[in-house]
């Protein structure tokens, strides 16, 4: 352990107390998670739509519709990812940078790959004269890119928790160090894939309900809510497996060791089950409500897992320094509120004018 | 220092940064300038009641949407990924100092995206007034993010009072902040105008083309009217060493400066042609060429800014190698290997010296040098013997003020020299083989002095010794080189070589 402490980079001081950043990190990550769920599921549904659309006009229309949504959702998912990326660097930069260096080449290629994916999405949506066949495969390609992006992110986020795996650097320094040697990585990834579909499936159901009107929406509500419902249940094996292979002392905390965290993990588990059940019942509004709350619990739980993993290295955590910046933080919060107000005002005003 | 290095020696970190950064800065500046271009041009269309202009704006808006959404956002994240991989110590430091600056920029960015979508999808669907307002909001948000991010870039070059106070606002409002902001703002406008010119010459014919070419010409004219004075203003806020670099002490900076001047000259020439030719003959090809010149101008400028900061990553605070200025002397006295977290070897023995040298290269030199395409030092060292490599490592700062001294102890210098030699020749030299005989003056000069001195009468080597005419006096100087200037290595040749060199210096001076 002592030896490991030595290779962990020294932290820089925080400008305000860590709790603020924890809150900002988890809050913005929550938004990011939802937007990624929506984006990923739209990409997958678009792909399904285009593939089934070869022989079925309705599916094709649906696929095209999803295609039109995709570029926006990519833009927002990325945008909402920037904030947690910022805050995690503030809190755990020394762990995070180290992990991202080990995986550096894959990490940097994400940028290239995402640009390709976005352009593909854009092309599918806006190139009216594009061939169906090309679009079909491009859609598959885009979905694959998004899934790959999630894979790399899970790699970095698990690798940063395990300094014991960092020594591999000395046998290869070119940044190809995927975290495949870590048993927690794969279940965490599969859990996410299903969680994203569970989130996005509900979005598609709600969206269809609003967009297509009572009769026409039926098959798409069914599609979205079934996708979400089954995906909810499919997260559970990964969830259980992940819990099982967590180090003993961490698992303990969530299973009876600590009353609060035990309740949290139980809520998270049953939250998924209830959401799944409601979704399969086509009760999409209650399902969405439960899902939103479950995700809050999930994000908090995820944060706790991280801090438990890193607890042995707590002397390397960033702590607040002497040079605090509370004034600047308030300026940021004011900007945030004002910015959101401006955005809502713009949306409302535009909506009103478009109607009239 | 503190972090592992993402090590791709054949490419080198600086090249990767340059590649991502140049795309990102051009695109993001373009997005800012384009914002203003869109609203002003749209307004013109409404004012003069010309639908084809509004249509033209709409086409542009689609392009900007695509551009700001994808390229600007993704390459922005990309440049962030890149610097965190290549300069993690500095990135961590910047993030911890300016996190709320970045957070504010993020809010502006969210506004920018929403506004861009609303702008594009509501052409003709909402009132002109609201549509223009959305355009203005897009532009102001985009420019606002330039205000924030440029503060951090300017900070890295001129941290000013921050060094003493470590205060956020001192860092933001640093000495080159306002001047660089003005410069970049006009650059944004020039880029937008040049792009407008390309589409105008491509999409329109006849009178409409005439009109729009002139319109964009006017844009460029006014951008230049702001750009050129603000460039001088910006220059006046440069740190002294960067100014000296431009004046001649850095070959790279001088060559970038020439690129800058020539490309700007060509850009202006195109503008003049545009008016002389009365826009008729100014077609798509000319406008592409014109766009390329401003692109080169921009690249050269960014290059100068980056180079002018060396050897620092944050001027006067942290070196490119991630070593803090405050720690430098301690590390130099102790050991670089022991003070770096991510080295395998901590203690050098004769058996591991070469390998240790490789580790030292990775943490001390790789930040600026590669073994491949860019700034490859092995190529320079091909003809050097081990002694010479070792000597140069001992006096890096003397070669150029854009390097620091070697931050490590004598044993580590030896190890690094051995590694270089081994990398180049695949083996170490046989020890104790004296290359006797070569008492040839020019060759001695070449081997001992030419890395830092030129064989010309206006070099300090000749200038400052002009009063020494005796061989003995000159030999005395050669014995005290390291006392004359701390960045100069002591003379390491034999007594005969010293004598031969002294004779040569005196002789060649009297000839000149």
């Amino acid at each position: 352990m002592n030896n490991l402490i030595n290779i962990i980079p020294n932290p820089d001081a925080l400008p305000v107390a860590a709790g603020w950043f924890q809150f900002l990190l988890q809050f913005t990550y929550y938004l990011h998670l939802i937007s990624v769920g929506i984006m990923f599921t739209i990409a997958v549904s678009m792909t399904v739509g285009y593939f089934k659309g070869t022989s079925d006009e309705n599916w094709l229309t649906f696929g095209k519709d999803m295609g039109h949504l995709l570029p926006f959702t990519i833009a927002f998912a990325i945008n909402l990812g920037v904030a947690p990326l910022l805050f995690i660097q503030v809190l755990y930069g020394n762990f995070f940078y180290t992990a991202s260096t080990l995986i550096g080449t894959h990490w940097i290629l994400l940028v290239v790959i995402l640009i390709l994916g976005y352009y593909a999405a854009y092309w599918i949506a806006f190139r009216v004269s594009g061939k169906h066949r090309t679009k079909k495969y491009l859609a598959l390609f885009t979905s694959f890119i998004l899934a790959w992006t999630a894979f790399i992110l899970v790699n970095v986020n698990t690798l940063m928790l395990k300094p014991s795996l960092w020594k591999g650097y000395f046998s290869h320094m070119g940044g190809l160090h995927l975290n495949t040697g870590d048993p927690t990585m794969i279940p965490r990834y599969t859990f996410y894939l299903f969680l994203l579909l569970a989130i996005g499936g509900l979005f598609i159901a709600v969206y269809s309900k609003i967009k297509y009107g009572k009769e026409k929406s039926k098959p798409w509500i069914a599609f979205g809510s079934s996708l979400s419902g089954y995906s909810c249940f499919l997260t559970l094996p990964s969830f259980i497996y992940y819990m099982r292979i967590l180090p003993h002392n961490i698992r303990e905390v969530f299973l009876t060791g600590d009353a609060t965290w035990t309740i949290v993990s139980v809520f998270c588990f049953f939250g998924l089950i209830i959401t799944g059940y409601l979704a399969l019942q086509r009760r999409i509004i209650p399902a969405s409500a439960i899902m939103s709350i479950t995700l809050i619990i999930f994000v908090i739980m995820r944060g706790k897992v991280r801090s438990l993993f890193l607890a042995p290295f707590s002397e390397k955590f960033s702590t607040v320094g002497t040079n605090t910046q509370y004034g600047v933080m308030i300026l940021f919060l004011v900007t945030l509120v004002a910015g959101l107000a401006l955005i809502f005002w713009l949306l409302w005003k535009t909506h009103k004018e478009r109607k009239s | 220092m503190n972090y592992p290095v993402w090590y791709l020696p054949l490419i080198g970190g600086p090249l990767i940064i340059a590649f991502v950064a140049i795309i990102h800065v051009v695109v993001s500046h373009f997005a800012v300038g384009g914002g203003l271009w869109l609203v002003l041009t749209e307004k013109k269309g409404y004012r003069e009641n010309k639908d084809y202009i509004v249509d033209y704006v709409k086409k542009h808006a689609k392009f900007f949407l695509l551009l700001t959404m994808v390229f600007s956002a993704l390459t922005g994240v990309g440049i962030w990924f890149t610097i965190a991989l290549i300069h993690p110590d500095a990135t961590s430091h910047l993030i911890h100092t300016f996190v709320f600056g970045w957070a504010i920029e993020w809010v502006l960015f969210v506004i920018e995206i929403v506004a861009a979508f609303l702008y594009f999808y509501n052409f003709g669907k909402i009132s002109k007034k609201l549509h223009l307002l959305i355009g203005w909001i897009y532009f102001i948000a985009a420019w606002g993010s330039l205000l924030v991010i440029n503060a951090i870039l300017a900070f890295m070059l001129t941290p000013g009072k921050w060094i003493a106070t470590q205060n956020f606002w001192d860092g933001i409002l640093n000495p080159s902040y306002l001047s660089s902001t003005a410069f970049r703002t006009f650059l944004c406008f020039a880029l937008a105008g040049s792009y407008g010119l390309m589409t105008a010459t491509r999409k329109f014919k006849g009178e409409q083309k005439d009109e729009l070419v002139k319109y964009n010409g006017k844009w460029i004219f006014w951008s230049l009217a702001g750009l050129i004075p603000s460039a001088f203003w910006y220059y006046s806020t440069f740190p002294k060493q960067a100014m000296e670099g431009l004046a001649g002490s850095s070959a790279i900076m001088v060559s970038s400066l020439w690129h800058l001047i020539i490309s700007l000259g060509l850009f202006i020439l195109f503008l003049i042609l545009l008016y002389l030719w009365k826009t008729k003959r100014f077609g798509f090809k000319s406008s592409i060429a014109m766009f390329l010149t401003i692109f080169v101008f921009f690249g050269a400028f960014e290059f100068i800014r980056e180079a002018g900061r060396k050897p620092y990553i944050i001027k006067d605070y942290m070196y490119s190698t991630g070593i803090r200025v405050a720690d430098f002397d301690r590390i130099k006295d102790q050991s670089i290997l022991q003070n770096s977290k991510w080295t395998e070897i901590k203690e050098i023995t004769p058996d591991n010296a070469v390998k240790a040298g490789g580790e030292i290269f990775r943490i001390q030199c790789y930040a600026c040098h590669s073994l491949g395409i860019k700034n490859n030092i092995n190529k320079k060292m091909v003809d050097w013997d081990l002694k010479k490599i070792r000597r140069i490592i001992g006096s890096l700062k003397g070669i150029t003020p854009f390097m620091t001294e070697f931050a490590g102890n004598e044993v580590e210098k030896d190890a690094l020299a051995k590694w270089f030699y081994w990398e180049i020749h695949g083996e170490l030299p046989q020890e104790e083989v004296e290359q006797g005989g070569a008492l040839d003056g020019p060759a001695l000069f070449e081997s001992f002095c030419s890395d830092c001195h030129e064989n010309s009468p206006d070099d300090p080597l000749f200038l400052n010794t002009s009063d020494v005419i005796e061989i003995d006096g000159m030999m005395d100087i050669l014995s005290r080189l390291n006392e004359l200037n701390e960045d100069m290595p002591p003379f390491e040749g034999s007594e005969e070589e010293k004598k031969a060199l002294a004779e040569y210096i005196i002789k060649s001076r009297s000839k000149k």
Side-chain angles (χ1 to χ4, degrees), chain B residues 418-439:
Chain B
K418 280 187 186 150
W419 178 78
F420 272 123
Y421 194 91
W422 188 85
E423 268 291 309
I424 296 165
H425 303 281
E427 59 179 4
L428 288 179
Q430 304 294 316
E431 302 221 8
E432 310 298 341
V433 177
E434 279 298 327
Q435 304 133 306
L439 289 185

Side-chain angles (χ1 to χ4, degrees), chain B residues 92-125:
Chain B
S92 170
H93 188 78
L94 290 173
I95 292 267
H96 283 82
T97 310
F98 295 116
V99 51
F100 291 117
W102 262 299
I104 289 172
E105 198 209 345
W106 170 69
V107 175
L108 292 169
F109 191 41
V110 180
I111 298 175
E112 197 182 320
I113 286 196
V114 174
F117 276 131
L118 288 177
Y119 185 79
F120 175 65
Y121 283 98
N122 289 297
F123 259 99
K125 293 184 181 145

Side-chain angles (χ1 to χ4, degrees), chain B residues 18-46:
Chain B
F19 181 73
V20 184
I22 196 73
I23 297 178
H24 177 67
V25 289
V26 171
V27 170
S28 57
H29 282 68
F30 197 28
V32 176
L36 188 65
W37 189 96
L38 288 175
V39 268
L40 290 187
T41 313
E42 185 187 357
K43 230 173 152 169
K44 175 183 161 76
Y46 292 151

Side-chain angles (χ1 to χ4, degrees), chain B residues 247-251 254 398-399 442 445-465 488 501 504-505 508-509 512:
Chain B
S249 77
S250 158
V254 171
I399 298 183
F445 185 90
E446 185 61 33
S447 140
F448 287 106
C449 316
S450 70
D451 291 298
C452 310
H453 292 289
E454 282 189 47
N455 203 342
S456 87
D458 49 3
D459 189 279
L461 186 155
F462 295 103
L463 274 187
N464 299 359
T465 57
M488 204 163 16
L501 180 60
Y504 171 72
I505 291 174
S508 64
R509 193 181 55 216
K512 278 164 185 160

Side-chain angles (χ1 to χ4, degrees), chain A residues 40-331:
Chain A
F40 180 62
T41 314
I42 284 181
V44 171
S45 308
M46 169 182 84
T47 312
V48 175
Y50 270 100
F51 271 80
K52 289 202 167 194
T54 313
S55 55
D56 183 336
E57 201 52 41
N58 286 338
W59 272 104
L60 186 61
T61 315
F62 174 71
K64 280 186 177 164
D65 240 24
M66 293 292 112
H68 278 286
L69 286 179
L70 189 59
F72 298 92
T73 53
I74 297 182
F76 280 100
I78 289 174
N79 188 265
L80 290 171
V82 168
L85 181 67
L86 176 64
F87 297 124
I88 197 169
Q89 293 181 55
V90 181
L91 280 169
Y92 302 110
N94 42 347
F95 299 90
F96 188 79
Y97 293 144
T98 308
S100 59
T101 302
L102 263 62
I103 202 172
T105 299
H106 292 297
W107 188 234
I108 211 79
L109 283 178
L110 276 190
V111 177
V112 180
I113 289 174
L114 275 172
I115 288 178
L116 292 179
Y118 184 92
Y119 272 114
Y122 202 89
W123 196 89
I124 297 169
F126 296 112
R127 178 54 64 99
V128 186
S129 59
K131 273 209 202 93
H132 175 76
R133 229 178 94 87
T134 322
K135 287 191 173 182
K136 193 164 97 173
Y137 289 106
L138 271 183
L140 188 64
F141 170 75
T142 308
S143 303
F144 177 75
I145 278 180
L146 297 179
W148 176 257
T149 306
F151 179 68
I152 296 297
L153 278 160
V154 171
N155 267 279
V156 172
N157 277 291
T158 48
L159 189 57
M160 71 171 271
L161 302 180
K162 296 205 171 169
S164 58
L165 299 173
W166 295 353
K167 292 262 165 154
Y169 173 73
F170 290 111
S171 52
H172 172 80
M173 301 177 180
L176 291 173
H177 218 288
L178 288 176
N179 196 27
T180 39
D182 176 353
T184 66
M185 196 272 287
I186 294 292
R188 198 162 153 150
Y189 179 56
T190 50
F191 174 81
Y192 266 111
L193 286 184
F194 290 120
L195 185 68
L196 296 179
L197 292 174
I199 297 170
L202 280 174
F203 172 83
I204 288 176
V206 174
Y207 172 85
S208 309
K209 188 169 173 164
I210 298 170
K211 176 94 197 256
Y212 299 134
K214 207 160 164 70
E215 267 319 298
K216 266 179 79 185
S217 65
K218 269 194 185 139
W220 312 121
I221 294 180
F223 170 76
S225 47
S226 310
L227 179 64
S228 174
Y230 290 121
S231 300
C232 274
F233 288 109
L234 285 170
T235 57
L236 299 177
S238 309
F239 187 92
I240 295 166
Y241 181 71
Y242 182 77
M243 287 301 247
R244 263 184 58 110
I245 59 169
L246 277 179
H248 180 73
N249 60 327
I250 298 181
R251 185 180 19 170
E252 269 302 296
V253 173
F254 293 103
L255 302 177
T256 71
D258 177 305
T260 319
W261 290 108
T262 306
I263 294 173
V264 165
S265 63
V266 168
F267 263 92
C268 188
F269 189 77
F270 284 101
L272 286 168
I273 294 180
I274 296 170
T275 310
Y277 175 77
L278 290 171
L280 291 180
Q281 299 277 313
R282 306 276 181 273
R283 292 166 64 188
I284 55 181
I285 301 299
S288 306
I290 302 282
M291 177 60 115
S292 314
I293 298 167
T294 307
L295 288 178
I296 295 178
I297 296 171
F298 165 72
V299 168
I300 293 172
M301 190 174 160
R302 174 182 178 272
K304 182 69 180 174
V305 171
R306 176 166 54 208
S307 60
L308 287 172
F309 261 110
L310 293 178
F313 316 107
S314 59
E315 65 183 270
K316 296 282 185 163
F317 286 176
S318 286
T319 49
V320 63
T322 45
N323 234 321
T324 56
Q325 297 180 4
Y326 283 97
V328 191
M329 181 174 78
I330 290 171
L331 181 66

Side-chain angles (χ1 to χ4, degrees), chain B residues 126-147:
Chain B
I126 54 178
S127 67
K128 291 174 183 171
K129 202 170 133 222
L130 180 61
H131 196 256
L132 284 171
L133 178 69
I134 295 174
W136 278 112
I137 290 174
Y138 169 76
F139 165 64
I140 292 168
W143 189 61
S145 37
L146 184 141
L147 287 185

Side-chain angles (χ1 to χ4, degrees), chain B residues 327-461:
Chain B
D327 298 332
F328 191 86
D329 285 339
R330 180 176 54 81
I331 293 172
K332 195 180 75 182
D333 291 342
Q334 292 173 347
S335 148
I336 181 69
L337 289 176
Q338 280 168 20
N339 278 290
S340 299
K341 289 189 181 300
W342 285 81
T343 56
E344 245 177 327
I345 295 171
K346 300 285 172 197
E347 211 65 67
I348 296 179
T349 64
D351 294 334
N352 67 15
V354 170
K355 193 169 176 211
E359 295 211 288
I360 295 169
F361 174 79
R362 196 175 73 231
I363 50 186
Q364 281 253 312
C365 317
Y366 176 69
C368 307
H369 294 290
S370 76
L371 301 179
I373 315 167
K374 192 169 174 256
N375 224 354
N376 179 334
I377 22 181
N378 279 10
K379 246 190 271 166
K380 304 249 165 79
M381 293 185 178
V382 166
D383 301 326
W384 298 2
D385 61 15
L386 183 59
K387 254 187 170 164
K388 175 156 180 184
I389 297 177
R390 172 65 179 76
R391 193 167 66 238
I392 293 293
I393 291 174
S395 46
L396 293 176
K397 203 169 146 202
I399 298 183
T400 151
F402 296 89
M403 273 194 280
T404 61
E405 292 170 73
F406 180 82
N409 60 38
E410 299 299 317
V411 186
E412 289 168 339
K413 288 181 195 166
D414 291 337
L416 179 58
K418 280 187 186 150
W419 178 78
F420 272 123
Y421 194 91
W422 188 85
E423 268 291 309
I424 296 165
H425 303 281
E427 59 179 4
L428 288 179
Q430 304 294 316
E431 302 221 8
E432 310 298 341
V433 177
E434 279 298 327
Q435 304 133 306
L439 289 185
D440 166 25
L444 288 169
F445 185 90
E446 185 61 33
S447 140
F448 287 106
C449 316
S450 70
D451 291 298
C452 310
H453 292 289
E454 282 189 47
N455 203 342
S456 87
D458 49 3
D459 189 279
L461 186 155

